[in-house]
Amino acid sequence: MGCDPAGPCDEDPDPTTDDPVTRRVHAALDRLAGDMSRLGIALSGGGDSTALLHLAQGWARGRCLMAATIDHGLRPESTAEAAGAGRAAAALGIDHATLSWQRGPASGNLMAAARDARLRLLSDWAAQNRLDAVLLGHTLDDQAETVLMRLARGAGVDGLAGMSASRRANGTVWLRPMLAVSRAELRDWLTARGIGWVDDPSNENADYDRVRIRKAVEALGLPAAQIAQSAANLASARDALQDVAAAAASGAEIRNGSLYLPWTPFRRAPQEVRRRLIVAGLRLVGGADYPPRREAVLRALTAILTGARATLEGAIAEPAGDWLRIMREPVAAARGAPGVPDAQGECRWDGRWLLSGLCADQQVRALGYDPLPGLKWRLSGLARDEAAASPGIWKGDQLIAAPLLESRAEMTVRPLAGVPEFMALLYTH
């Protein structure tokens, strides 16, 4: 986890610089990462990330910068290119790591799998090095291409709002300080300084959606800046919708790991606001990393508004008196891996519970329906499905305790997420 401060820290940058690229990127870094001391850079060796490496180094002024390159192994040249990226970082005094993707059997969308692997590898690297955030080299052109790709897929407001300058995913903060700078500007900036970069031939492969969109933008002369401005306008609309959804959720409660939303404000809200509320609730209770598909959510909303229940993404949503109750689906809870206590007798289970006071030979698994008749579950105040999805303490096939139904002095159980976490999901994008 060693890191040498990047760049000189005894001189202030020249505030009168006439370089607009440096000025814009440094201003974005000030806004996004001004209070951060340890930053990572996702460095591919291409023009965008190479420019980011140099621009971040010129801005850092004593901050710890580290860089990492993913060797996907998709091209014979990838290992040599990763080594070249490492040399470029080392020349600036920036610690560098090459992270290799060990692919399993080929299946599905290769590019999607590579993207997911990249995020996972970089997230693990960031956590190991206690980085505050990882900088990504997305540009104005990437923003425009992303918006058009999402438009072709019928995206809603959130998708068409484009990429955010700052977002949290995979337990990592990702920052994009170059969204206001074009790809051509960055290459001119590099050329003027005699800095080389590597061009990935896959960027010309029309088998990929992004490359086809890029070529269409060039052929039609579509203005990337105006497309990105439309995305910014939609981002403002998205932010307003998030505020309205948060207001509609005022008074929400967490009870025994389930989310309770006030029914009347939910029912009266516009459909898009209801959709946002249900998506955030499903993610909170079911633990999904990504929102479910829009069509599935709209079908669930139709059922809920008729008084029926809907099951989606490992959670059940149903009207319950003055509330909309979103609870864990028992079958989904039962599919999860058993929880094993650590040396202190604590265990996190199902992404929802922290249990303590456990013995080394015990496991935490879903209680299930079979034990309920002998536990007087109705006296607990839980719905039957809530009780079945609640944590059970097991020793082999023997049930030792059901702490949400019958308290035990030596055991404690508490939810890992509450209303603040739900509200944060409403603002996740």
Side-chain angles (χ1 to χ4, degrees):
M1 289 188 287
C3 182
D4 293 329
C9 57
D10 55 352
E11 296 180 5
D12 289 333
D14 180 6
T16 63
T17 177
D18 292 326
D19 171 16
V21 168
T22 300
R23 196 162 55 242
R24 273 179 280 165
V25 175
H26 284 191
L29 286 167
D30 286 339
R31 183 179 70 255
L32 297 171
D35 60 348
M36 298 179 180
S37 61
R38 297 179 63 85
L39 294 167
I41 302 169
L43 178 65
S44 69
D48 301 338
S49 67
T50 298
L52 176 61
L53 179 79
H54 286 262
L55 286 161
Q57 191 268 350
W59 167 84
R61 298 184 62 237
R63 292 176 177 85
C64 171
L65 290 184
M66 305 178 77
T69 303
I70 307 298
D71 181 1
H72 288 113
L74 298 178
R75 294 183 294 108
E77 305 86 1
S78 64
T79 299
E81 289 171 359
R87 289 191 294 272
L92 297 177
I94 297 173
D95 186 78
H96 178 269
T98 297
L99 312 175
S100 299
W101 180 31
Q102 305 300 323
R103 279 188 292 158
S107 62
N109 186 322
L110 179 60
M111 288 299 102
R115 182 182 63 248
D116 291 344
R118 177 173 179 259
L119 289 177
R120 175 177 50 79
L121 289 167
L122 286 171
S123 293
D124 291 345
W125 168 74
Q128 291 165 6
N129 289 283
R130 297 179 286 107
L131 300 179
D132 298 310
V134 175
L135 306 180
L136 302 175
H138 295 122
T139 67
L140 180 73
D141 301 84
D142 293 310
Q143 182 73 293
E145 292 158 10
T146 296
V147 170
L148 293 174
M149 288 172 65
R150 293 176 180 177
L151 180 65
R153 297 168 185 164
V157 171
D158 287 359
L160 297 179
M163 297 181 290
S164 297
S166 174
R167 71 185 290 259
R168 175 177 285 276
N170 293 69
T172 302
V173 175
W174 308 92
L175 302 178
R176 299 181 175 101
M178 302 199 304
L179 289 179
V181 183
S182 72
R183 192 175 293 133
E185 285 179 298
L186 290 175
R187 278 150 179 73
D188 289 345
W189 189 91
L190 290 169
T191 300
R193 288 156 180 76
I195 302 170
W197 67 89
V198 175
D199 284 319
D200 184 344
S202 66
N203 289 331
E204 298 299 321
N205 186 344
D207 289 339
Y208 301 136
D209 289 345
R210 184 173 290 276
V211 175
R212 290 196 295 272
I213 289 289
R214 183 175 301 160
K215 291 182 179 298
V217 168
E218 293 170 354
L220 296 173
L222 297 177
Q226 281 83 344
I227 297 171
Q229 182 58 56
S230 292
N233 295 340
L234 286 166
S236 295
R238 175 202 60 206
D239 294 345
L241 284 167
Q242 290 169 337
D243 286 343
V244 174
S250 178
E253 298 179 6
I254 299 291
R255 304 179 195 168
N256 297 309
S258 297
L259 173 67
Y260 284 72
L261 294 173
W263 173 245
T264 298
F266 178 87
R267 179 173 55 84
R268 291 178 176 173
Q271 176 173 277
E272 175 60 18
V273 173
R274 292 196 299 264
R275 188 192 69 82
R276 290 171 180 275
L277 291 167
I278 199 74
V279 165
L282 291 170
R283 292 184 63 191
L284 181 82
V285 174
D289 289 329
Y290 299 100
R293 291 188 178 276
R294 187 182 188 90
E295 295 78 9
V297 174
L298 295 180
R299 287 195 298 270
L301 282 173
T302 298
I304 292 165
L305 291 173
T306 63
R309 64 163 40 189
T311 301
L312 187 64
E313 297 292 317
I316 300 170
E318 63 178 6
D322 294 334
W323 301 92
L324 172 65
R325 176 170 55 206
I326 304 177
M327 55 189 166
R328 184 68 158 137
E329 181 191 9
V331 172
R335 283 197 300 262
V340 179
D342 60 19
Q344 287 72 44
E346 290 191 343
C347 174
R348 292 172 180 258
W349 175 73
D350 199 36
R352 298 184 300 138
W353 300 105
L354 175 63
L355 299 98
S356 58
L358 307 181
C359 298
D361 58 354
Q362 295 172 345
Q363 287 187 342
V364 183
R365 303 198 300 270
L367 188 57
Y369 293 105
D370 290 344
L372 295 184
L375 292 171
K376 301 178 181 178
W377 62 271
R378 288 182 176 84
L379 299 178
S380 69
L382 275 69
R384 183 169 178 267
D385 290 318
E386 285 181 303
S390 71
I393 314 301
W394 300 83
K395 183 177 180 180
D397 293 331
Q398 180 185 2
L399 179 65
I400 303 300
L404 281 187
L405 276 64
E406 297 178 346
S407 62
R408 298 276 292 266
E410 71 276 17
M411 294 179 182
T412 61
V413 56
R414 66 176 180 85
L416 289 170
V419 172
E421 286 73 21
F422 168 70
M423 291 296 186
L425 284 171
L426 286 175
Y427 287 88
T428 297
H429 47 76

